[in-house]
Amino acid sequence: MMPMPAYSVAIYSAEKCTLLTPSDATKWLHAQPLDDHVAIDSSQLIAIQQALASEGALNTSRMLILVPDHWLSVFQCSLDHSVPESLRPLAALSYAVEATFLSPETLVFSYQYEESSEQRQLTVFACAAEWADQLCSPFQSMAKSCVLMSYSQWMNVSSGIRSWSYCSQWALSRYQPDKLKQQRARRLWAVLCGVSVLLHCVAGLYLFYLQDVSERAILARQQTLAAQSFWSSRPQIGGMTESALALVQALPDTVRLERFNGETGQVSFQMTLLAQDLEALVGRWRQQYPDWRWEVAQQQSDVSLMKSQKDVVDVFISVLEK
């Protein structure tokens, strides 16, 4: 299903008025060039509009109306100096009033300003407001918004920028002293809205990140509490196990503790150390705890704790209460 266009186009000619989509309007104007010197009067326009009314209403809310250039007053002016953007509407109005002999309140106009290093040119399109209203009258009941442009204005616009907002900006209209300020205000509001949306997106992403960090912290806290609860529920370490822990905590740096397991009435652990230190260490422990039964099993180790001595053993020690 094809998407509905943003607006429809009504093309006036000396014979009829044709309703088309924007893309079809361009093709129609290219395929059927019209006689630029054929003009019509009010009675002929009424007849064209009556024939259009018999075709039925068009389902649209926006209507762009195109008319031949010679139905309007079109003139070009070469300027001696550059005109600031804020003064261009007023300059175009002055030329339109001079060319049409109409007062500013009774005409509609549009302009195109072109400036290069060699020249500056102002093209003005104008007509009586009454004539513009008559051209738009059949479409007032069809569309909520109607704008008027000439063939050349439409054809000179790149197809990529023929949006409704662009057409509304450059269509024929009455002089609006604050139009430029309003356009700048709209652009400023658009920028502010864009910045606001961007800030909301960044804030949303940051909030999502904080929620994720918070959830991870809560999970880590729960795991810590569970571990604390588990260890607190176990019998308190004491007696033989506590004494054995004190022994292994006091081991010298040349001894590496591999494993320690303490149970009620029995302790076992594994160490890697120099063979020459084993006998002295175990002998001292036996003297310190003569009531314990020491079982020592050792085997040659592949690990060297000191470069100068390679005689390293793995020792498995089990301690039982007598």
Side-chain angles (χ1 to χ4, degrees):
M1 183 177 180
M2 294 295 292
M4 291 294 294
Y7 59 93
S8 297
V9 181
I11 304 179
Y12 273 110
S13 67
E15 295 81 16
K16 62 179 181 177
C17 182
T18 306
L19 302 180
L20 299 168
T21 63
S23 58
D24 291 337
T26 304
K27 297 176 184 177
W28 193 90
L29 289 174
H30 278 300
Q32 301 185 31
L34 304 176
D35 187 354
D36 290 340
H37 302 287
V38 178
I40 63 171
D41 54 26
S42 296
S43 60
Q44 291 173 311
L45 178 60
I46 293 174
I48 292 173
Q49 292 174 343
Q50 288 176 345
L52 175 65
S54 64
E55 297 180 3
L58 186 67
N59 183 20
T60 184
S61 60
R62 296 169 175 173
M63 180 67 70
L64 170 65
I65 302 167
L66 300 180
V67 297
D69 285 49
H70 63 274
W71 289 17
L72 309 173
S73 296
V74 183
F75 46 91
Q76 294 180 338
C77 310
S78 296
L79 305 176
D80 297 331
H81 54 81
S82 178
V83 179
E85 183 180 2
S86 59
L87 297 179
R88 291 171 192 172
L90 184 60
L93 175 65
S94 301
Y95 283 111
V97 169
E98 182 179 353
T100 60
F101 301 101
L102 297 172
S103 62
E105 298 79 11
T106 60
L107 64 80
V108 293
F109 72 100
S110 180
Y111 69 91
Q112 293 177 349
Y113 181 82
E114 298 177 356
E115 182 173 355
S116 64
S117 58
E118 299 179 355
Q119 62 179 359
R120 291 157 293 275
Q121 184 170 284
L122 181 68
T123 304
V124 181
F125 306 83
C127 71
E130 183 180 359
W131 176 244
D133 291 339
Q134 188 174 355
L135 290 170
C136 296
S137 60
F139 309 103
Q140 299 296 336
S141 59
M142 295 183 184
K144 296 179 181 179
S145 301
C146 298
V147 295
L148 182 66
M149 296 180 70
S150 69
Y151 287 175
S152 61
Q153 284 180 283
W154 169 261
M155 297 302 290
N156 289 335
V157 177
S158 173
S159 59
I161 60 173
R162 287 176 180 163
S163 63
W164 176 255
S165 60
Y166 183 89
C167 295
S168 301
Q169 179 181 354
W170 296 106
L172 276 71
S173 63
R174 287 180 168 83
Y175 176 61
Q176 303 175 32
D178 297 330
K179 184 176 181 179
L180 187 59
K181 293 182 180 179
Q182 293 172 355
Q183 291 174 353
R184 289 177 176 174
R186 285 194 294 268
R187 286 195 293 267
L188 178 60
W189 275 109
V191 171
L192 292 177
C193 289
V195 172
S196 176
V197 171
L198 179 61
L199 291 177
H200 278 79
C201 291
V202 172
L205 292 175
Y206 185 64
L207 178 61
F208 177 78
Y209 168 76
L210 291 180
Q211 289 177 342
D212 183 60
V213 172
S214 177
E215 290 175 357
R216 291 184 180 181
I218 292 173
L219 180 59
R221 177 61 177 170
Q222 291 175 345
Q223 292 174 345
T224 302
L225 292 176
Q228 291 176 349
S229 176
F230 172 75
W231 285 107
S232 63
S233 65
R234 299 189 64 182
Q236 294 295 323
I237 298 176
M240 181 179 183
T241 303
E242 185 175 356
S243 300
L245 279 173
L247 291 178
V248 297
Q249 287 175 353
L251 289 171
D253 293 339
T254 56
V255 181
R256 185 170 68 186
L257 181 66
E258 302 288 349
R259 185 177 61 195
F260 183 92
N261 184 31
E263 299 179 1
T264 303
Q266 180 179 356
V267 174
S268 61
F269 53 93
Q270 177 183 351
M271 303 182 302
T272 301
L273 73 166
L274 297 174
Q276 63 185 21
D277 296 336
L278 175 60
E279 185 175 352
L281 184 63
V282 174
R284 186 169 64 249
W285 287 349
R286 290 180 188 274
Q287 291 178 0
Q288 188 174 354
Y289 295 97
D291 296 334
W292 293 0
R293 187 175 66 196
W294 297 81
E295 296 180 358
V296 180
Q298 68 179 56
Q299 64 181 25
Q300 196 68 27
S301 175
D302 295 332
V303 178
S304 176
L305 295 179
M306 299 179 63
K307 293 182 179 179
S308 60
Q309 299 186 25
K310 300 182 181 180
D311 191 9
V312 179
V313 293
D314 291 330
V315 181
F316 300 90
I317 299 178
S318 296
V319 185
L320 303 174
E321 292 181 341
K322 292 182 180 179

